[in-house]
Amino acid sequence: MRIGELARRSGVSDRSLRYYEAQGLLASERTPGGQRDFGEWAVDRVIRIQALYAAGLTSKKIARLLPCMRDTDGAPSEIATPRLVEELYAERERIDRTIADLIRSRDVLDEVISAATSSFPAARHAGASSTAV
């Protein structure tokens, strides 16, 4: 499939796909006219790359991780190393810390919202989120 089709099916811009290719995260064949041609597998690969970026991994870490994952189901392949698994545990712990920090921030906001709206009539602040601060 051409880059535009891959972009449409994966929800990622052409520019991002070219970046992924430049970073070694994605590979394409070239048509006789020089256009990129991706296999069907590329859709799952791009979605997985997006998920790894969203989890906070860098392109360098993703490039090391992708060869150790099967595109069809994301399970580890036979070339996953113990060191890579250690790095993945470290990334998971980093994500857990980020989640804990976000929960603490949300709790603080909830306290501030509760204190700020305690004197408002119930109908005015129940579910309202567009009031001035």
Side-chain angles (χ1 to χ4, degrees), residues 32-51:
Q35 294 183 320
R36 290 173 175 84
D37 189 30
F38 296 93
E40 195 63 34
W41 59 270
V43 176
D44 288 337
R45 170 68 57 105
V46 170
I47 291 168
R48 183 155 296 108
I49 291 168
Q50 285 293 111

Side-chain angles (χ1 to χ4, degrees), residues 4 13 16 22 27 29 35 38 42 44 46 55 58 70 74 81 86 95-96 98 104-105 116 125 129:
S13 70
S16 292
E29 301 288 324
Q35 294 183 320
F38 296 93
D44 288 337
V46 170
T58 65
R70 294 189 305 243
T81 64
E86 287 176 24
I95 291 168
D96 285 343
T98 301
R104 279 192 294 277
S105 295
H125 68 83
S129 62

Side-chain angles (χ1 to χ4, degrees), residues 22-88:
Q23 296 299 306
L25 306 177
L26 190 61
S28 68
E29 301 288 324
R30 293 291 180 149
T31 67
Q35 294 183 320
R36 290 173 175 84
D37 189 30
F38 296 93
E40 195 63 34
W41 59 270
V43 176
D44 288 337
R45 170 68 57 105
V46 170
I47 291 168
R48 183 155 296 108
I49 291 168
Q50 285 293 111
L52 294 170
Y53 272 127
L57 276 72
T58 65
S59 59
K60 187 175 180 178
K61 285 194 180 200
I62 294 170
R64 289 183 38 224
L65 171 63
L66 284 175
C68 299
M69 296 174 73
R70 294 189 305 243
D71 282 320
T72 54
D73 61 8
S77 75
E78 295 76 29
I79 62 172
T81 64
R83 182 169 183 209
L84 177 64
V85 171
E86 287 176 24
E87 289 180 27
L88 293 174

